[in-house]
Protein backbone atom coordinates (compact mmCIF):
# COMPACT_ATOMS: atom_id res chain seq x y z
CA UNK A 1 0.00 0.00 0.00
CA UNK A 2 1.13 3.55 -0.73
CA UNK A 3 0.08 6.59 1.29
CA UNK A 4 1.16 10.03 0.09
CA UNK A 5 0.38 11.58 3.47
CA UNK A 6 2.13 14.85 2.60
CA UNK A 7 2.88 16.16 -0.88
CA UNK A 8 5.93 14.29 -2.15
CA UNK A 9 6.24 12.20 1.04
CA UNK A 10 5.16 8.56 0.79
CA UNK A 11 4.77 5.76 3.33
CA UNK A 12 4.90 2.46 1.42
CA UNK A 13 4.66 -1.06 2.77
CA UNK A 14 2.69 -4.08 3.91
CA UNK A 15 2.77 -6.87 6.49
CA UNK A 16 4.30 -4.77 9.24
CA UNK A 17 7.23 -3.33 7.29
CA UNK A 18 7.23 0.19 5.86
CA UNK A 19 9.61 2.65 4.25
CA UNK A 20 9.33 6.38 3.70
CA UNK A 21 10.21 7.98 0.38
CA UNK A 22 10.82 11.71 0.10
CA UNK A 23 10.65 13.30 -3.33
CA UNK A 24 13.26 15.99 -3.91
CA UNK A 25 13.78 18.15 -7.01
CA UNK A 26 15.49 15.55 -9.19
CA UNK A 27 15.79 12.49 -6.95
CA UNK A 28 14.24 10.52 -4.10
CA UNK A 29 15.54 9.76 -0.61
CA UNK A 30 14.45 6.42 0.83
CA UNK A 31 14.29 5.83 4.58
CA UNK A 32 14.26 2.36 6.17
CA UNK A 33 15.69 -1.04 5.39
CA UNK A 34 13.11 -3.62 6.45
CA UNK A 35 11.88 -6.52 4.33
CA UNK A 36 10.32 -5.86 0.95
CA UNK A 37 12.19 -2.71 -0.08
CA UNK A 38 12.34 -3.95 -3.68
CA UNK A 39 8.53 -4.27 -3.68
CA UNK A 40 8.13 -0.87 -2.00
CA UNK A 41 10.19 0.70 -4.77
CA UNK A 42 8.05 -1.04 -7.41
CA UNK A 43 4.87 0.38 -5.81
CA UNK A 44 6.40 3.86 -5.77
CA UNK A 45 7.30 3.56 -9.47
CA UNK A 46 3.80 2.31 -10.31
CA UNK A 47 2.43 5.47 -8.66
CA UNK A 48 4.40 7.54 -11.16
CA UNK A 49 7.39 8.57 -9.06
CA UNK A 50 10.23 7.78 -11.44
CA UNK A 51 13.06 9.96 -10.13
CA UNK A 52 16.23 8.03 -9.22
CA UNK A 53 16.69 6.98 -5.61
CA UNK A 54 20.05 8.57 -4.93
CA UNK A 55 20.15 8.22 -1.16
CA UNK A 56 18.85 5.73 1.39
CA UNK A 57 18.89 6.00 5.19
CA UNK A 58 19.19 2.97 7.48
CA UNK A 59 17.76 3.53 10.95
CA UNK A 60 19.98 1.07 12.81
CA UNK A 61 21.96 -2.14 12.62
CA UNK A 62 19.47 -4.83 13.68
CA UNK A 63 19.03 -7.61 11.12
CA UNK A 64 15.39 -6.87 10.32
CA UNK A 65 16.36 -3.31 9.42
CA UNK A 66 19.16 -4.29 7.06
CA UNK A 67 17.50 -6.88 4.80
CA UNK A 68 16.58 -4.10 2.36
CA UNK A 69 20.22 -3.14 1.77
CA UNK A 70 20.54 -5.15 -1.49
CA UNK A 71 17.53 -3.28 -2.93
CA UNK A 72 19.09 0.11 -2.20
CA UNK A 73 22.36 -1.27 -3.55
CA UNK A 74 20.66 -2.29 -6.80
CA UNK A 75 19.29 1.24 -7.15
CA UNK A 76 22.82 2.62 -6.93
CA UNK A 77 21.89 4.67 -3.87
CA UNK A 78 24.40 6.07 -1.41
CA UNK A 79 23.43 4.47 1.88
CA UNK A 80 23.59 6.54 5.07
CA UNK A 81 24.38 4.82 8.36
CA UNK A 82 26.81 5.41 11.24
CA UNK A 83 30.46 4.38 11.13
CA UNK A 84 29.94 1.92 14.00
CA UNK A 85 27.57 -0.06 11.76
CA UNK A 86 29.75 -0.15 8.66
CA UNK A 87 30.78 -3.81 8.92
CA UNK A 88 27.27 -5.18 9.42
CA UNK A 89 25.84 -2.99 6.63
CA UNK A 90 28.53 -4.09 4.18
CA UNK A 91 27.89 -7.67 5.24
CA UNK A 92 24.22 -7.28 4.26
CA UNK A 93 25.04 -6.22 0.70
CA UNK A 94 25.67 -8.34 -2.38
CA UNK A 95 29.00 -6.59 -2.89
CA UNK A 96 29.89 -5.08 0.46
CA UNK A 97 33.32 -3.87 -0.60
CA UNK A 98 31.84 -1.76 -3.40
CA UNK A 99 28.83 -0.51 -1.43
CA UNK A 100 28.55 3.29 -1.49
CA UNK A 101 28.27 4.30 2.17
CA UNK A 102 28.11 7.66 3.90
CA UNK A 103 28.27 8.15 7.65
CA UNK A 104 26.13 10.37 9.85
CA UNK A 105 28.01 11.96 12.73
CA UNK A 106 25.22 13.38 14.84
CA UNK A 107 23.23 14.96 12.02
CA UNK A 108 23.16 15.18 8.24
CA UNK A 109 20.99 17.50 6.12
CA UNK A 110 19.64 16.97 2.62
CA UNK A 111 18.36 20.12 0.91
CA UNK A 112 16.70 20.34 -2.49
CA UNK A 113 14.24 22.74 -4.11
CA UNK A 114 13.13 24.24 -0.81
CA UNK A 115 12.70 20.92 0.97
CA UNK A 116 14.89 19.94 3.91
CA UNK A 117 15.35 16.40 5.22
CA UNK A 118 17.49 15.97 8.32
CA UNK A 119 18.89 12.67 9.52
CA UNK A 120 19.53 12.75 13.26
CA UNK A 121 21.22 10.18 15.48
CA UNK A 122 19.12 10.17 18.65
CA UNK A 123 21.01 7.29 20.27
CA UNK A 124 21.80 5.85 22.64
CA UNK A 125 18.37 4.50 23.54
CA UNK A 126 17.34 1.35 25.43
CA UNK A 127 17.02 -0.34 22.01
CA UNK A 128 20.27 0.55 20.28
CA UNK A 129 23.43 2.61 20.66
CA UNK A 130 22.71 4.56 17.45
CA UNK A 131 19.29 5.31 15.99
CA UNK A 132 18.83 7.45 12.89
CA UNK A 133 15.50 9.21 12.50
CA UNK A 134 14.40 11.23 9.47
CA UNK A 135 13.02 14.70 10.15
CA UNK A 136 11.23 17.01 7.71
CA UNK A 137 11.13 20.33 9.59
CA UNK A 138 8.93 22.25 7.13
CA UNK A 139 6.29 19.52 7.28
CA UNK A 140 6.75 18.50 10.93
CA UNK A 141 7.16 14.84 9.91
CA UNK A 142 9.31 12.38 11.88
CA UNK A 143 10.08 8.81 10.73
CA UNK A 144 11.30 6.42 13.42
CA UNK A 145 11.85 2.71 13.90
CA UNK A 146 11.07 0.45 16.88
CA UNK A 147 10.42 3.20 19.43
CA UNK A 148 6.70 4.01 19.04
CA UNK A 149 4.29 1.05 18.70
CA UNK A 150 1.52 3.05 16.91
CA UNK A 151 -1.08 0.27 16.52
CA UNK A 152 -3.25 0.24 13.40
CA UNK A 153 -6.47 -0.17 15.39
CA UNK A 154 -7.50 0.06 19.00
CA UNK A 155 -6.27 2.04 21.95
CA UNK A 156 -2.78 3.43 22.32
CA UNK A 157 -0.66 1.21 24.59
CA UNK A 158 1.28 2.59 27.57
CA UNK A 159 4.71 3.87 26.59
CA UNK A 160 7.68 1.59 27.02
CA UNK A 161 11.16 2.96 27.91
CA UNK A 162 12.00 3.20 24.21
CA UNK A 163 8.96 5.42 23.66
CA UNK A 164 10.05 7.69 26.49
CA UNK A 165 13.52 7.84 24.92
CA UNK A 166 11.96 8.95 21.63
CA UNK A 167 9.92 11.64 23.36
CA UNK A 168 13.00 12.84 25.23
CA UNK A 169 14.95 13.04 21.96
CA UNK A 170 12.18 15.06 20.32
CA UNK A 171 12.38 17.55 23.19
CA UNK A 172 16.19 17.55 23.30
CA UNK A 173 16.51 18.34 19.61
CA UNK A 174 13.70 20.88 19.65
CA UNK A 175 11.66 19.10 16.98
CA UNK A 176 8.19 20.58 16.40
CA UNK A 177 6.69 17.22 15.43
CA UNK A 178 3.18 17.18 13.99
CA UNK A 179 3.21 13.76 12.31
CA UNK A 180 4.84 10.47 13.32
CA UNK A 181 5.33 7.54 10.95
CA UNK A 182 7.38 4.42 11.46
CA UNK A 183 8.95 1.30 10.05
CA UNK A 184 6.31 -1.10 11.41
CA UNK A 185 2.93 0.61 11.04
CA UNK A 186 0.89 2.07 8.19
CA UNK A 187 -0.80 4.49 10.56
CA UNK A 188 0.04 8.18 10.39
CA UNK A 189 0.10 9.28 14.02
CA UNK A 190 0.22 12.62 15.81
CA UNK A 191 2.02 13.98 18.84
CA UNK A 192 -1.28 13.62 20.70
CA UNK A 193 -1.00 9.86 20.16
CA UNK A 194 2.51 9.88 21.58
CA UNK A 195 1.40 11.99 24.55
CA UNK A 196 -1.49 9.59 25.21
CA UNK A 197 0.93 6.68 25.29
CA UNK A 198 3.22 8.53 27.70
CA UNK A 199 0.35 9.46 30.02
CA UNK A 200 -0.84 5.87 30.19
CA UNK A 201 2.61 4.81 31.37
CA UNK A 202 2.57 7.17 34.34
CA UNK A 203 1.86 5.41 37.61
CA UNK A 204 -1.33 6.67 39.27
CA UNK A 205 -0.78 8.47 42.54
CA UNK A 206 -1.84 6.59 45.64
CA UNK A 207 -4.52 8.37 47.67
CA UNK A 208 -3.10 10.24 50.64
CA UNK A 209 0.47 10.38 49.26
Amino acid sequence: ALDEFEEGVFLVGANGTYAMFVEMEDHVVGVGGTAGIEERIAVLRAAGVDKPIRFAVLTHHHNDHLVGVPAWEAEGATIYTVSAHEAVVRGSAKDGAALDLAFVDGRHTFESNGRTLEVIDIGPTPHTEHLLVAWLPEDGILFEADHFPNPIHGVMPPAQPVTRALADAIAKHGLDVKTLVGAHSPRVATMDDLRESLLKAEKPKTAGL
Side-chain angles (χ1 to χ4, degrees):
L2 179 146
D3 181 6
E4 186 177 6
F5 63 95
E6 185 68 38
E7 184 177 359
V9 186
F10 306 86
L11 188 66
V12 187
N15 302 319
T17 62
Y18 295 82
M20 185 173 76
F21 295 86
V22 181
E23 192 172 3
M24 307 298 249
E25 183 176 12
D26 61 354
H27 64 280
V28 170
V29 181
V31 184
T34 48
I37 292 297
E38 185 176 357
E39 290 82 1
R40 314 304 178 235
I41 293 170
V43 170
L44 186 74
R45 298 303 189 214
V49 181
D50 58 1
K51 297 174 183 178
I53 300 173
R54 290 188 183 166
F55 308 105
V57 179
L58 301 177
T59 56
H60 59 301
H61 69 301
H62 293 162
N63 289 341
D64 62 320
H65 291 269
L66 295 180
V67 293
V69 167
W72 299 132
E73 180 184 13
E75 290 291 314
T78 299
I79 297 177
Y80 280 75
T81 182
V82 297
S83 59
H85 298 166
E86 178 177 5
V88 69
V89 173
R90 290 196 185 279
S92 301
K94 290 184 178 179
D95 185 356
L99 194 65
D100 187 7
L101 291 184
F103 302 112
V104 177
D105 184 9
R107 185 184 296 238
H108 176 80
T109 301
F110 298 99
E111 290 183 299
S112 172
N113 199 31
R115 168 161 275 166
T116 300
L117 170 61
E118 297 182 4
V119 181
I120 306 169
D121 185 357
I122 66 167
T125 77
H127 188 66
T128 180
E129 183 70 17
H130 297 276
L131 182 77
L132 298 183
V133 298
W135 167 238
L136 290 147
E138 290 92 352
D139 304 302
I141 296 168
L142 186 71
F143 179 95
E144 63 79 35
D146 294 352
H147 285 62
F148 179 46
N150 193 17
I152 302 173
H153 304 293
V155 297
M156 195 62 56
Q160 299 298 312
V162 289
T163 310
R164 169 56 64 186
L166 176 65
D168 289 346
I170 289 171
K172 174 185 174 181
H173 291 279
L175 309 182
D176 184 16
V177 176
K178 296 178 176 62
T179 302
L180 276 161
V181 292
H184 293 299
S185 175
R187 184 171 177 269
V188 177
T190 67
M191 278 299 290
D192 283 342
D193 293 316
L194 178 58
R195 293 187 190 102
E196 180 183 346
S197 180
L198 294 168
L199 284 172
K200 286 184 175 181
E202 294 182 359
K203 294 180 180 180
K205 294 180 179 179
T206 303
L209 295 181

